[in-house]
Amino acid sequence: MEKKLKQHPSNLVKIVLFGPESTGKTTLSVQLSAHYKTACVPEFSRAYLQEKWDETKKVCEIKDIIPIANGQMKLENKLAKEANKLLICDTDLLETKVYSEAYYDGFVDKELEKYALENQYDLYLLTYIDTPWEADDLRDRPTQREEMFMAFKHTLDKYKKPYILLKGDKKTRFHQAVKEIDQLLKK
């Protein structure tokens, strides 16, 4: 499993959309990848868990965490080869770690934790909970948005990850993200 969770080396600037569900991460990641004409790594867990729900009406279980992590890194490593100077990631293993801790009483697989902390990104875009909640088959914590947001923020602070907080409407968030990414690309 170890190799499956390891990020392949690259010279790309890597950006991660990070935060609780229904905070606009996917929308923004697609906008940014279009703006910069580069690859966007989708959230693997969405397709994986939607398929599981459609087939069994079951939600994420602890046994799904490693297959989700493996699928996420496989997508990231594949799309990094197609990216143009910049890679936009709709999520990463650190986000998977936060969800594992939140949903499974603090449990995190040791290999997941190792690579969630070792894999490197240039900037995390932490999305705030000031967007309307959009229910779907998979989202399940509309009343715990503040608690989940704090878990994500605490994780970035704890591990000293570079991040900015994005608040406001889609246009405001997009312009703030572009400003920060442009600065990174100039370096």
Side-chain angles (χ1 to χ4, degrees):
M1 175 173 60
E2 189 170 314
K3 295 254 187 222
K4 291 181 180 180
L5 297 180
K6 186 174 178 69
Q7 189 179 55
H8 295 173
S10 78
N11 292 326
L12 297 169
V13 171
K14 293 185 177 182
I15 308 296
V16 178
L17 281 288
F18 196 77
E21 58 191 7
S22 195
T23 57
K25 295 184 302 289
T26 298
T27 299
L28 184 55
S29 65
V30 170
Q31 289 175 319
L32 291 170
S33 65
H35 177 78
Y36 289 104
K37 296 175 179 53
T38 193
C40 176
V41 181
E43 182 183 9
F44 179 82
S45 65
R46 274 310 234 159
Y48 177 95
L49 292 173
Q50 187 65 57
E51 183 177 317
K52 178 177 180 162
W53 174 260
D54 292 345
E55 291 176 5
T56 66
K57 297 297 183 236
K58 289 184 179 179
V59 294
C60 189
E61 299 170 280
I62 201 165
K63 68 181 182 179
D64 295 314
I65 296 297
I66 292 304
I68 287 169
N70 288 337
Q72 191 64 45
M73 284 314 301
K74 182 177 180 181
L75 274 175
E76 181 180 321
N77 287 328
K78 176 183 179 248
L79 290 169
K81 296 173 187 172
E82 301 171 16
N84 177 22
K85 297 180 190 173
L86 173 71
L87 184 66
I88 306 294
C89 302
D90 192 350
T91 190
D92 74 337
L93 296 186
L94 191 58
E95 182 144 335
T96 305
K97 177 185 180 310
V98 172
Y99 275 113
S100 183
E101 290 169 334
Y103 279 73
Y104 306 111
D105 299 320
F107 173 79
V108 179
D109 178 273
K110 286 182 167 78
E111 292 295 317
L112 170 60
E113 182 160 36
K114 175 184 177 181
Y115 287 102
L117 300 178
E118 281 184 15
N119 291 345
Q120 294 295 308
Y121 301 89
D122 296 280
L123 181 65
Y124 284 82
L125 303 176
L126 176 61
T127 53
Y128 192 60
I129 56 173
D130 58 349
T131 56
W133 175 266
E134 292 183 25
D136 66 17
D137 293 336
L138 305 176
R139 294 177 177 154
D140 66 348
R141 293 193 172 187
T143 61
Q144 295 173 298
R145 294 181 87 191
E146 182 70 30
E147 178 185 330
M148 289 303 296
F149 173 79
M150 293 309 297
F152 283 99
K153 184 178 184 312
H154 171 75
T155 296
L156 293 173
D157 291 336
K158 179 179 178 179
Y159 298 112
K160 298 177 178 31
K161 299 293 185 180
Y163 76 93
I164 61 163
L165 175 61
L166 296 180
K167 289 184 172 184
D169 62 21
K170 291 175 187 177
K171 186 176 181 180
T172 301
R173 290 174 180 219
F174 175 77
H175 288 300
Q176 187 179 3
V178 166
K179 179 182 171 189
E180 295 292 329
I181 293 168
D182 284 350
Q183 289 177 0
L184 283 172
L185 291 172
K186 286 179 184 175
K187 291 182 183 178

